[in-house]
Amino acid sequence: MRPVQESLYSRILSRLERDFIKSQDLARVLALALQSGKNVLLWGPGGHGKSEMVEAVMAEVVEDFLNEVHVLSFGEGMDEATLWGGLDFRALEEEKVLRYHPESSFLAKEYAVFEELFDAPASVLLALKDTLTSGWLRKGAQRFKKSTRTIVALTNKDPSEIKDLGPAASALVERFPLQLKVDWSSYESTDYVELFEKVEPRLGGPSLNGMGRILAELISKMAEQGDAISPRTAIHALGAVKAAAELRDSQQVEKVDLLDLRFVDGLEGLADSLKEELDKAAERAAAESRVVAAERKLAA
């Protein structure tokens, strides 16, 4: 069944804002894709929740999610048999004919999600491009009409990089007329604070006890040095400091718990100067809190 068109964009945005931040553009492009039946390519650096957000949206708006949405992970090991639903071994053994089971593939579903699409071999991309162009799987005497209305493809590769992969990949990109880079426009401490406020209630455990702003300052400092920390890594950092507090049998995160950030993948650069950076981050967070308090007082 197609998604119910009852204020589709508002419905998608509401679902995303429940668990994610900075999701307005993603909500918009997915609403356009589902409304129009166009394919959409979501690309950008890893760790920004592309897969999680798409899954949340599809589960929200497609009534029969399990039966109408086909999720397929691409990669170097992808082959045409996997793409087209598997080999028909009986036909191969008895008739010596190469056939597939497209009724078990994405072609039989109304919606499809392709993870890391452009990691697949060129031969697979070329076969997929031909089928998306014609609307049919045509292999020898086998014919199967595509029922898929919208495909959401995900990749960490920039479209300009994809075109360098060869003509098959370049031509396939053109079959995704809607495209969006999924990242953050800024990686400042306020962005990470917003993220922590969104996810901390779901994580549970010790209270941040005001350490959220200090943690956000530390992480944003790396972005200033040219190493933007992804939301996923920031959430791992949040979980690590909470776990450190639990190891102390404390219900509150303290500054000492942030020293364990050096064990978080992607934050190794903090190891050498972590204590010094902690003190600086605490000073910046305190100053920012005073500014916020003064603005609220002025507004009142």
Side-chain angles (χ1 to χ4, degrees):
M1 296 179 63
R2 294 182 182 177
V4 179
Q5 300 306 319
E6 154 199 356
S7 197
L8 185 59
Y9 169 64
S10 298
R11 186 177 175 188
I12 291 175
L13 181 60
S14 176
R15 174 62 188 89
L16 289 177
E17 289 185 336
R18 192 188 314 165
D19 295 328
F20 307 95
I21 66 171
K22 303 182 184 298
S23 57
Q24 292 87 349
D25 284 347
L26 181 62
R28 190 67 182 176
V29 77
L30 287 178
L32 289 171
L34 293 171
Q35 180 73 36
S36 64
K38 302 293 185 182
N39 298 332
V40 57
L41 176 65
L42 304 177
W43 62 281
H48 285 70
K50 293 187 291 291
S51 299
E52 293 84 352
M53 288 190 281
V54 168
E55 181 178 352
V57 168
M58 301 304 280
E60 172 71 21
V61 302
V62 180
E63 184 176 338
D64 194 358
F65 173 75
L66 293 179
N67 290 322
E68 289 297 337
V69 180
H70 188 90
V71 180
L72 188 60
S73 295
F74 286 68
E76 294 181 359
M78 170 64 76
D79 54 25
E80 285 196 58
T82 304
L83 181 63
W84 306 130
L87 278 174
D88 185 339
F89 288 103
R90 176 174 295 183
L92 186 61
E93 293 176 4
E94 297 179 359
E95 305 173 36
K96 309 303 180 186
V97 174
L98 188 63
R99 290 180 184 167
Y100 302 101
H101 288 291
E103 69 280 359
S104 300
S105 75
F106 77 93
L107 296 171
K109 306 291 185 180
E110 192 161 4
Y111 304 99
V113 177
F114 291 166
E115 297 273 4
E116 303 305 335
L117 171 60
F118 294 97
D119 288 348
S123 59
V124 173
L125 300 181
L126 180 60
L128 177 60
K129 185 267 296 183
D130 291 341
T131 295
L132 295 186
T133 301
S134 66
W136 288 82
L137 170 63
R138 298 178 292 192
K139 290 292 180 179
Q142 187 172 21
R143 296 288 186 274
F144 191 90
K145 184 172 176 57
K146 178 175 72 71
S147 299
T148 318
R149 186 169 184 267
T150 298
I151 298 173
V152 181
L154 313 176
T155 180
N156 292 341
K157 293 181 171 63
D158 185 301
S160 62
E161 297 176 12
I162 294 171
K163 293 179 180 179
D164 293 337
L165 297 177
S170 180
L172 186 55
V173 170
E174 297 174 1
R175 272 59 185 178
F176 292 83
L178 298 175
Q179 299 182 12
L180 174 70
K181 182 179 182 182
V182 181
D183 65 351
W184 286 4
S185 58
S186 64
Y187 294 83
E188 299 176 358
S189 61
T190 51
D191 300 310
Y192 292 107
V193 168
E194 182 183 358
L195 175 67
F196 295 154
E197 290 175 348
K198 180 72 70 172
V199 303
E200 190 195 5
R202 301 202 304 272
L203 293 180
S207 166
L208 273 180
N209 187 33
M211 291 294 109
R213 289 189 177 276
I214 298 177
L215 177 58
E217 285 285 350
L218 283 171
I219 293 175
S220 66
K221 187 68 175 178
M222 297 195 71
E224 294 175 6
Q225 299 169 357
D227 299 318
I229 300 302
S230 72
R232 179 184 298 150
T233 298
I235 293 173
H236 288 327
L238 180 60
V241 299
K242 281 177 170 283
E246 289 178 328
L247 288 174
R248 295 188 298 102
D249 292 326
S250 173
Q251 296 301 311
Q252 293 184 330
V253 173
E254 303 291 348
K255 190 161 67 172
V256 65
D257 299 315
L258 274 65
L259 293 174
D260 284 331
L261 289 174
R262 66 188 188 278
F263 300 118
V264 177
D265 182 34
L267 298 182
E268 301 90 340
L270 291 173
D272 296 335
S273 58
L274 190 56
K275 289 184 179 180
E276 180 183 353
E277 289 296 337
L278 274 173
D279 292 335
K280 292 180 179 179
E283 292 175 5
R284 289 194 297 269
E288 184 178 338
S289 295
R290 289 194 294 270
V291 170
V292 171
E295 289 177 345
R296 288 176 179 172
K297 185 175 180 181
L298 182 61

